[in-house]
Amino acid sequence: IYKSLGPIGISANTTNGLLSIGSSTGRGVLVGPPYPPLNLGKDWKMGTTSVMGANGYWTSVVSGIDINGVTKFVAVADGLSNRAMYSLDGKNWTSATSTVMNLNHWKSVAYGVLNGVPTFVAVGWQSYPAVSNDGINWSLSGFLPADLQWSSITFGKTSNFPNGVFVAVAESGAAGTSRATYSTNAYDWFSGPMLPNNMQSNWKSVTFGDNGGGMKRFVAVARVQGAAYPDYLVMFSNDA
């Protein structure tokens, strides 16, 4: 079953296992395993999948304006080769040149203008994130607080972090370690106390919202195994 909310929307495919979606002005982009459905609905058209399909299971995509002023889509994957790609139109994709992207099972990529610099950051199932200013050339960037399975990352600007902050959450890890982290420079990462640390809460996604009226908030959601922690499905933070 495939559902779309228009050219800028959220979609899911329970048959083909498509995992993630990004958006930009007037265009939506879908990523996932290399077998997208042929019937995508009136608002969707097939992208060039031959290169992406040969390179792994794509987990996340984001759009942003890079350091050269070029708007592009950037996608990451959690397996096989060439685990990062970019596109200027959402249809034709090119592999990123950095071999360091093959060192992790990437689960999420985010974009933000951090301290005035356009920045893409990817996290995965190891303790080292990757950073890029153009979505093409990547480098490993510091170490996350713990060797957890980091599942999602987002970017936002709050009153405490007016120059921007990246926030990531993890879906599993050892007891005694926080499953949230934040960074104001994409290199030094600090533990965030906002999420409960227990083996039941598998934090799957985090995002940032600004309603324009003063409410700026990070929100994280989890998959809870069992009923031991029924109140930990959704949590929020105003300051990361």
Side-chain angles (χ1 to χ4, degrees):
I1 300 171
Y2 195 92
K3 297 180 180 179
S4 173
L5 298 183
I8 304 178
I10 301 171
S11 58
N13 188 316
T14 57
T15 301
N16 290 301
L18 293 163
L19 300 177
S20 188
I21 184 172
S23 63
S24 183
T25 303
R27 186 184 295 270
V29 172
L30 180 69
V31 297
Y35 36 80
L38 296 179
N39 249 338
L40 299 186
K42 67 176 183 178
D43 296 318
W44 293 93
K45 295 181 180 180
M46 184 73 70
T48 302
T49 59
S50 58
V51 176
M52 294 191 75
N55 290 325
Y57 292 93
W58 298 92
T59 54
S60 183
V61 63
V62 72
S63 65
I65 302 174
D66 72 9
I67 198 169
N68 300 309
V70 179
T71 300
K72 63 182 57 170
F73 297 96
V74 174
V76 296
D78 72 352
L80 301 181
S81 62
N82 298 326
R83 299 179 189 181
M85 302 190 77
Y86 66 94
S87 172
L88 302 183
D89 58 9
K91 177 181 179 181
N92 301 287
W93 293 83
T94 303
S95 296
T97 58
S98 302
T99 58
V100 298
M101 295 305 286
N102 293 333
L103 300 178
N104 202 341
H105 295 274
W106 304 105
K107 294 298 182 181
S108 183
V109 61
Y111 168 84
V113 180
L114 184 66
N115 300 314
V117 180
T119 307
F120 297 91
V121 178
V123 295
W125 280 10
Q126 276 76 39
S127 61
Y128 40 84
V131 63
S132 174
N133 298 126
D134 59 9
I136 303 173
N137 301 287
W138 292 82
S139 60
L140 300 183
S141 180
F143 290 94
L144 297 168
D147 193 13
L148 306 179
Q149 293 183 352
W150 298 96
S151 54
S152 182
I153 186 170
T154 192
F155 176 85
K157 293 183 178 181
T158 68
S159 57
N160 288 340
F161 301 104
N163 295 319
V165 59
F166 282 97
V167 174
V169 296
E171 64 177 285
S172 66
T177 55
S178 173
R179 297 190 183 184
T181 183
Y182 66 93
S183 175
T184 57
N185 60 11
Y187 185 85
D188 299 300
W189 295 85
F190 302 94
S191 295
M194 68 176 181
L195 300 183
N197 179 52
N198 59 73
M199 298 308 291
Q200 301 293 325
S201 300
N202 299 323
W203 296 96
K204 294 293 188 179
S205 184
V206 61
T207 192
F208 175 80
D210 181 350
N211 70 354
M215 189 198 76
K216 299 179 180 181
R217 181 167 291 176
F218 295 91
V219 177
V221 294
R223 176 177 64 87
V224 176
Q225 296 176 345
Y229 303 93
D231 297 328
Y232 293 161
L233 290 171
V234 180
M235 298 195 75
F236 68 89
S237 170
N238 294 329
D239 58 6

